[in-house]
Amino acid sequence: MLTDNPARKTSVSPVSTAVTFDQVVKRYGDHTVLDHLDFEVRQGERVTLIGPSGSGKTTILRLLMTLERVTEGVIQVNGQPFSGLPEKQLRRARRHIGMVFQQFNLFPNMKVLDNITEAPVQVLGLSRDEAAERARDLLDLVGLADKADVHPTRLSGGQQQRVAIARALAMRPDILLLDEVTSALDPELVQGVLDVLRDIAQATDITMLCVTHEMGFARDISDRVLMFDGGRVIESGPPERMFSEPEHERTRDFLGAVL
Amino acid sequence: MSFLTAFVRSLPSIWDGIQITVLATLLGALLALVLSFVLGLAARSRHLLVRGLARAVVEFFRGTSLYVQLFWLFFALPILGFKLVPLACAVLAFGLNYGAYGSEVVRGALAAVPRAQWEATVALNMTPWQRMRKVILPQAWPQMIPPFNNLLIQLLKSTPLLSLITVSDITFQMDQLRSATGDTKAAYLVLLVIYFVLAYALTLCMNGLEALGKARLGQGRA
Amino acid sequence: MWDWHTAREGLPLILHGFGITLLATALGSLVAIVLGLVIAVLGRAPTRWVRLPLRAVVEFVRSTPVMIQLFAVWVLAPGLDPLTIGIVVLGLHYAMYTSEVYRAGIDAVPRGQWEAAVALSLPPIRTWWGVVLPQAVRKVIPALGNYVISMFKETPFLSVITVNEMVHEANQFGSDNFAYMEAFTIAAAIFLIASYPTSMLMRKLEKRLAH
């Protein structure tokens, strides 16, 4: 895995850094969402971003996925600068990153299996058979082995989200971005999705960046929790400490409101 | 000679006329379809120049009447040294005019595909061409069918113009029959009914196409 | 190929024709806008003896070419002024389209509005005129406007029944002076100059009324 990865071979900063935000600013007009943000995520680390809504957590994931562009500053992925690249090189950089969206964003024009195999075939150049095999394994993993030939619109929200997780994993990303993946689900469906993610966290060494309001889940899977407010990280630490004895007053208020 | 006898006797030439009318409709529609996509996609280009050019072409052909475009191609273009056969003039005019309208349909349908779908294609690292072909277009085209059908019927209804530029279309043939029999009422009624049947047949085809597309999106009846 | 002198000579004639074109458009639109509303309201009639035949007529007229309709009425009603025939037939043809526009507008009025009118025991006339139509018509003004623009661009069909509107005049001037290039280019330019700003206006109106 390491040897066939050119980004890692040529990287200048230590190989163990998966994501670096260096003085990143994101503005929409006059509104500053991220204000000279600095943080790092190590390879294999599970980081959860918490904070009030509008604090810029989702923007971080969207910047990493190149769905938005930084206003100032530099983002590095695996030691390679990432922002401001032209489309061709962006594609090379994006190869390491997968994302699961709040609203699942499955393709309604494809059946479940095709949703998962499409990108491996088109982008990674796998054969249909290889991709299908990979997809079936993943469907098994997320507990939907029997839904391969169903239209996504016929699935519950929780099932759709599990398919979306499988779809992201089929690309074998090093880094998985999870953007409020349970926020659009009915309460009784949340647990199934979180269980799948817990299994993945245990079974793989994939780097995870997670925006969530599920504090129990954050506590279970995270190595580190970052508290955001006003476009900056105001406090960070291991979940045990963050949830039991937060130092910053804003963190205490926030946790007091959500726990 | 009664109208009915004359009608039966001239059935072969009426059939010829129907074929010409249908041919002009289909070729015009084909050209319009191609132009709709070219102009509709160009209107979403990142380059200002491409966008502006597409916009100008669309506004020009929408803004100047089809009738005038056809007559310009038929009467004025030969003065510039390009003489097209009449049927080609008509197909070109239909294609350009309805292609301009159709490009708005394409543009609107592409814009109506949720942005989240585009984001998912980025997250899966697809190329822009893969995004369009595999994800965006399959979701957009069923939405294009009803407005395209309206345009197709409009195009069909424009085809009597053929008779004005010496093409022996169905209108010409029925007009021959009218002067031969002197039965204006019957001749025009038959002509209108022929057009109604053609329009109905086209609509049925397009409805079938739409149902097919929607079924693929899991929206139709399962 | 292009002679400015000829163009200048033809312009007054073509502009005179444009006056007729505008007149036909204005009066034809009036017919379409009024008749379309009548058809839309009748389409909601409680008995299907009104609704079904109406539906059939609308479908038939809508699906058949206006040029042949013009021809047919012109030949079958000799002695009537061609411009009058043109205005009526064009207006009638477009009334089929505007009736659909009104219908969609009426359908979009929330059910609660009808129910409130019933709860207040408003008579049907007041329900339509005071409650439903004001809400329905406002939203459809841009769509109606777009049909007026379409009709404007179809007025050249009137030339086939000898109405001396703009394209008729252009054609006449073109064949008299062998100046088709000048004649039809001027006609095209006038159409563009007149219809482009109008359609921009409709687009703006559409955005404003959307809220």
Side-chain angles (χ1 to χ4, degrees):
Chain A
M1 189 67 191
L2 272 174
T3 46
D4 63 2
N5 190 329
R8 286 182 190 178
K9 264 189 289 186
T10 55
S11 68
V12 274
S13 56
V15 161
S16 61
T17 308
V19 173
T20 311
F21 271 57
D22 185 5
Q23 293 287 300
V24 170
V25 177
K26 177 65 185 175
R27 281 192 210 100
Y28 297 100
D30 306 337
H31 180 56
T32 303
V33 184
L34 300 181
D35 183 12
H36 296 91
L37 179 68
D38 282 316
F39 77 93
E40 281 191 358
V41 178
R42 292 189 310 279
Q43 279 179 7
E45 196 179 16
R46 280 65 196 260
V47 173
T48 302
L49 315 176
I50 62 170
S53 47
S55 59
K57 299 162 296 180
T58 290
T59 305
I60 290 172
L61 301 192
R62 293 174 61 83
L63 284 170
L64 265 172
M65 198 64 258
T66 70
L67 298 172
E68 318 257 352
R69 281 161 195 271
V70 295
T71 313
E72 284 169 36
V74 177
I75 299 174
Q76 294 191 356
V77 172
N78 296 331
Q80 296 277 315
F82 190 75
S83 22
L85 296 175
E87 174 72 23
K88 264 240 168 76
Q89 285 162 44
L90 268 185
R91 293 196 59 234
R92 199 172 302 156
R94 269 198 296 254
R95 225 171 25 190
H96 308 288
I97 304 178
M99 183 162 181
V100 182
F101 298 87
Q102 184 177 355
Q103 299 287 349
F104 339 128
N105 301 1
L106 293 179
F107 303 134
N109 55 315
M110 300 175 196
K111 290 179 176 169
V112 163
L113 191 79
D114 300 324
N115 257 283
I116 304 174
T117 58
E118 189 63 30
V121 170
Q122 300 288 337
V123 180
L124 303 180
L126 262 60
S127 75
R128 287 258 162 221
D129 289 345
E130 285 173 291
E133 199 187 320
R134 190 184 278 192
R136 286 186 196 284
D137 287 348
L138 286 166
L139 279 176
D140 216 22
L141 179 76
V142 300
L144 293 172
D146 54 332
K147 302 289 186 194
D149 293 317
V150 175
H151 262 296
T153 44
R154 306 248 180 264
L155 298 179
S156 74
Q159 290 171 327
Q160 291 194 44
Q161 193 58 295
R162 277 139 68 191
V163 173
I165 293 167
R167 181 174 73 172
L169 289 176
M171 297 297 282
R172 302 253 164 104
D174 309 339
I175 303 166
L176 187 62
L177 310 177
L178 303 168
D179 183 17
E180 304 200 26
V181 294
T182 56
S183 298
L185 300 178
D186 292 335
E188 72 272 19
L189 302 174
V190 169
Q191 207 49 50
V193 171
L194 293 183
D195 287 344
V196 164
L197 289 172
R198 268 196 201 93
D199 291 348
I200 292 163
Q202 256 161 28
T204 68
D205 58 355
I206 199 166
T207 309
M208 286 187 181
L209 251 80
C210 179
V211 172
T212 185
H213 297 294
E214 296 288 334
M215 293 305 152
F217 173 70
R219 193 193 306 248
D220 286 358
I221 69 145
S222 309
D223 299 316
R224 194 152 53 106
V225 176
L226 304 182
M227 169 72 194
F228 268 85
D229 197 32
R232 291 162 171 271
V233 181
I234 58 167
E235 184 174 0
S236 76
E240 306 79 44
R241 187 191 63 69
M242 285 288 283
F243 290 126
S244 54
E245 40 193 309
E247 285 163 4
H248 204 285
E249 194 191 327
R250 298 281 302 150
T251 318
R252 270 199 295 279
D253 290 349
F254 174 74
L255 289 173
V258 295
L259 280 176
Chain B
M1 191 162 42
S2 84
F3 180 80
L4 201 63
T5 343
F7 179 70
V8 172
R9 204 171 293 168
S10 53
L11 269 179
S13 51
I14 290 174
W15 177 238
D16 285 348
I18 290 179
Q19 283 180 310
I20 296 274
T21 295
V22 170
L23 183 72
T25 305
L26 293 184
L27 289 179
L30 192 68
L31 179 60
L33 184 69
V34 172
L35 280 175
S36 299
F37 275 90
V38 171
L39 292 171
L41 289 173
R44 288 169 61 86
S45 165
R46 263 179 304 166
H47 304 286
L48 186 68
L49 193 71
V50 177
R51 268 206 318 272
L53 202 67
R55 189 81 247 150
V57 171
V58 169
E59 291 304 342
F60 180 81
F61 285 105
R62 271 159 42 116
T64 55
S65 162
L66 169 66
Y67 199 110
V68 177
Q69 287 156 20
L70 180 66
F71 273 36
W72 198 94
L73 288 175
F74 185 71
F75 288 112
L77 191 62
I79 298 174
L80 293 178
F82 301 98
K83 190 154 171 56
L84 298 174
V85 295
L87 187 65
C89 282
V91 168
L92 195 58
F94 293 157
L96 289 169
N97 190 268
Y98 288 101
Y101 283 98
S103 74
E104 297 285 290
V105 172
V106 171
R107 199 170 61 98
L110 291 178
V113 174
R115 206 184 134 73
Q117 288 290 314
W118 174 81
E119 293 181 350
T121 63
V122 174
L124 291 170
N125 210 3
M126 292 183 180
T127 62
W129 170 240
Q130 287 166 344
R131 290 172 200 161
M132 186 52 77
R133 190 170 55 105
K134 294 290 185 173
V135 176
I136 308 297
L137 264 187
Q139 294 182 53
W141 74 257
Q143 295 201 47
M144 300 178 193
I145 303 276
F148 268 154
N149 184 43
N150 288 340
L151 288 177
L152 184 61
I153 302 303
Q154 302 257 31
L155 197 162
L156 175 72
K157 291 196 304 173
S158 314
T159 52
L161 284 171
L162 288 163
S163 66
L164 300 183
I165 58 166
T166 74
V167 179
S168 309
D169 71 333
I170 182 60
T171 302
F172 171 82
Q173 299 292 359
M174 290 309 292
D175 206 49
Q176 296 287 99
L177 185 65
R178 178 181 73 91
S179 21
T181 58
D183 194 339
T184 303
K185 234 182 275 178
Y188 281 133
L189 190 65
V190 170
L191 182 53
L192 288 172
V193 168
I194 289 174
Y195 264 109
F196 182 73
V197 171
L198 288 177
Y200 197 72
L202 287 176
T203 301
L204 282 184
C205 293
M206 296 293 268
N207 286 350
L209 218 57
E210 188 191 0
L212 189 80
K214 287 210 166 143
R216 285 210 187 150
L217 293 182
Q219 292 172 356
R221 278 158 284 169
Chain C
M1 249 170 268
W2 178 270
D3 183 29
W4 282 108
H5 181 71
T6 315
R8 211 168 305 135
E9 216 164 75
L11 191 60
L13 196 68
I14 296 173
L15 278 178
H16 175 259
F18 184 59
I20 307 281
T21 294
L22 283 183
L23 181 71
T25 308
L27 295 180
S29 304
L30 198 66
V31 173
I33 284 169
V34 174
L35 194 62
L37 187 59
V38 173
I39 294 173
V41 174
L42 283 180
R44 286 234 160 196
T47 157
R48 87 177 91 150
W49 294 107
V50 176
R51 285 199 315 262
L52 289 186
L54 199 67
R55 191 82 236 129
V57 170
V58 168
E59 275 308 315
F60 189 81
V61 175
R62 230 160 64 112
S63 311
T64 52
V66 72
M67 181 178 137
I68 296 169
Q69 292 164 3
L70 282 166
F71 246 138
V73 175
W74 182 54
V75 177
L76 292 173
L80 260 183
D81 165 42
L83 181 60
T84 311
I85 293 177
I87 288 166
V88 170
V89 171
L90 211 54
L92 212 101
H93 190 85
Y94 272 89
M96 307 305 148
Y97 287 105
T98 55
S99 75
E100 293 290 301
V101 170
Y102 286 120
R103 192 172 63 98
I106 292 167
D107 285 350
V109 173
R111 244 188 107 69
Q113 295 293 312
W114 293 92
E115 288 169 357
V118 172
L120 295 169
S121 14
L122 287 182
I125 295 282
R126 278 311 300 162
T127 305
W128 276 106
W129 200 251
V131 180
V132 176
L133 288 182
Q135 299 182 52
V137 171
R138 201 180 114 83
K139 290 245 174 195
V140 302
I141 289 171
L144 292 176
N146 285 328
Y147 277 121
V148 170
I149 298 171
S150 295
M151 184 196 280
F152 170 59
K153 283 179 278 190
E154 290 213 329
T155 48
F157 278 117
L158 300 194
S159 68
V160 300
I161 59 167
T162 73
V163 174
N164 54 349
E165 50 68 61
M166 177 165 68
V167 175
H168 186 271
E169 298 296 84
N171 199 0
Q172 194 69 50
F173 180 78
S175 67
D176 287 351
N177 302 280
F178 199 67
Y180 284 120
M181 178 61 79
E182 289 81 1
F184 286 125
T185 307
I186 290 173
I190 293 177
F191 265 118
L192 190 62
I193 292 167
S195 70
Y196 181 67
T198 325
S199 60
M200 285 297 108
L201 192 75
M202 287 307 142
R203 225 172 274 184
K204 266 208 184 127
L205 204 61
E206 216 164 317
K207 278 200 188 123
R208 258 184 60 189
L209 291 180
H211 309 294

